[in-house]
Amino acid sequence: MKKVYFDNAATTPLDEAVFEEMKPYMLEYYGNPSSIHWHGRQVRSAIEKARKKIADLLNTSPSEIFFTSGGTEADNTAIRCTIEDYGVKNIITTPLEHHAVLHTVEMLAKKGKVNLDLLDVDEKGRISLDQIEQLLKKDPNTLITLMHANNEIGTMNDIHAIAELSKEYGAVFHTDTVQSMAHFRHDLQELKANFVVGSAHKFHGPKGVGFLYVNHEKRIQPFIHGGAQERNMRGGTENVYGIIGLAKALDLAYANMDDHKKQIESVKSYMIEQLKQHIERVSFNGTSDDLENSLYTVLSVSLPPSEDNDMLLFNLDINGISASGGSACSSGSNIGSHVLTAIGSDPQRGAIRFSFSRFNTKADVDYVIGKLNEILTVSA
Ligand SMILES: Cc1ncc(COP(=O)(O)O)c(C=O)c1O
């Protein structure tokens, strides 16, 4: 059976060139980078080269890049250390954030450590800068934590404008850039954020490795205590081959970004066109069908109400199609997508998130549209 992988916002396949770069650090260069002997020094030097590569690509300094176990740890570190180390008393965020952010800020609010303000979002998941400014005027001793690109509905925030606002009021700005890293060019000298995040497995790198950019103007204490790794900022022996793979994956992404973007956008726009042509009463969630103003890797599709909507992903799966979804939560139920619920999506409609990578083709789209049509016809 043909297999189609349309779940690239969840994770992406490892690029073979990335794997080749990692391999020697699995087999040959196995020293502990903290060891001062030859075996250790080879590995230390490779880690520092990887850090320099990432810093160069993002136009920042290697001293501002700290390796982590991925996006979740980087988000946790930024948020929890801001509250702990800077004495910040307020957090501004939205109900649309990834759980790595949302659950962290909710925990801090529950423990009484911060006052939490959730911004209003419109039906497409957009926020208002005015509302942020009103809150900052009340108390600028605030952490603003807002994602760049939403992983479920593709809606994007203007992080440059938010960063400017944050700087103007002397607030702290953390942006979860997990979904946009390597898909958009980030210039960290230009972007006035305090914290920026990357996770390798979202751009054809290995799982379990990422980084946190910490702007040099405001440093934090370690979140994970232990050895002196990461210049005393993050204890624990480094995920050496993960770090090597992360740098290689980011390098490849930057070198080919325009081509990859063009390829992915052509698959996405073809999918939008085919869905509109073949699926009755289809609509799209967030800004995901707006090619100019959305994360180009994500398309969130909304299907007419049907008793069989609960089975949509299962039916796609048995036809070899991997996607993800989850409708808005029906009242009182805790299951479903917190993002679709927050933008007021109809819980009776089916929702599927298709997310693309440069390895997808229009033939994949044709296959998915054919199968989706069959599934919807049977259930009609
Ligand atoms: C927006 C966003 N933030 C954070 C994460 C967590 O990243 P990781 O899987 O590297 O912990 C994800 C992963 O799905 C994500 O999409």
Side-chain angles (χ1 to χ4, degrees), residues 1-2 314-321 367 371 374-375:
M1 195 203 318
K2 183 173 167 69
F314 173 75
N315 285 328
L316 288 171
D317 186 25
I318 57 175
N319 283 290
I321 301 162
Y367 180 76
K371 289 297 172 191
E374 279 173 27
I375 293 166

Side-chain angles (χ1 to χ4, degrees), residues 9-10 69-73 75 98 100 147 149-151 176 178-179 198-202 208-209:
S69 63
T72 302
E73 184 192 320
D75 284 335
H98 189 272
M147 69 205 319
N150 189 280
N151 49 302
D176 176 344
V178 164
Q179 290 291 339
S199 174
H201 73 110
K202 306 293 186 181
V209 64

Side-chain angles (χ1 to χ4, degrees), residues 279-347:
I279 310 291
E280 266 180 44
R281 292 162 61 208
V282 70
S283 62
F284 301 94
N285 298 307
T287 60
S288 67
D289 61 327
D290 175 351
L291 285 178
E292 299 288 305
N293 293 300
S294 68
L295 175 61
Y296 57 87
T297 50
V298 165
L299 182 64
S300 177
V301 175
S302 168
L303 298 166
S306 153
E307 278 183 6
D308 294 322
N309 277 347
D310 285 350
M311 299 295 284
L312 268 173
L313 291 178
F314 173 75
N315 285 328
L316 288 171
D317 186 25
I318 57 175
N319 283 290
I321 301 162
S322 297
S324 70
S327 300
C329 322
S330 18
S331 55
S333 137
N334 212 6
I335 329 156
S337 155
H338 67 283
V339 174
L340 294 175
T341 303
I343 60 170
S345 237
D346 177 356

